[in-house]
Amino acid sequence: MEDIIGTTAGVLTSVAMVPQLLKVIKEKNVEDISGLMLGVLITGLSLWVWYGFMKGEWPIILSNSFAILVNLILAFCVFKFKHKN
């Protein structure tokens, strides 16, 4: 049961930003996205990955690595689209 809860939590938190990313890509509007929030979030996710490696917990490593990827793409979009307005 612990593995099911942990895996479900990892999947849900990992995909949480995907709708925001898709909206940003579609609309090319990043006016309401905070670069500072993304920086803090990516730092926190990176620490979770490090923690996962220290504990040997692949669900933590994989889910947070995916979340880092999504948020790095979002950060790239913020950088790219913020200068177009």
Side-chain angles (χ1 to χ4, degrees):
M1 189 61 157
E2 290 173 353
D3 288 340
I4 293 170
I5 292 171
T7 300
T8 302
V11 168
L12 291 175
T13 56
S14 296
V15 300
M17 292 296 283
V18 171
Q20 183 68 57
L21 175 61
L22 295 175
K23 184 177 189 239
V24 164
I25 290 171
K26 180 181 176 186
E27 297 175 4
K28 295 179 179 37
N29 180 359
V30 294
E31 185 177 314
D32 295 329
I33 306 291
S34 167
L36 178 60
M37 179 272 304
L38 284 174
V40 171
L41 182 57
I42 291 167
T43 301
L45 292 167
S46 298
L47 291 172
W48 272 115
V49 171
W50 186 8
Y51 175 80
F53 274 112
M54 290 189 308
K55 292 289 197 175
E57 296 285 340
W58 284 102
I60 293 173
I61 296 165
L62 295 176
S63 62
N64 286 290
S65 294
F66 177 76
I68 289 169
L69 177 64
V70 169
N71 285 288
L72 283 173
I73 294 169
L74 185 56
F76 173 78
C77 288
V78 167
F79 178 76
K80 180 178 179 182
F81 299 138
K82 203 159 233 169
H83 299 292
K84 284 191 171 189
N85 295 334

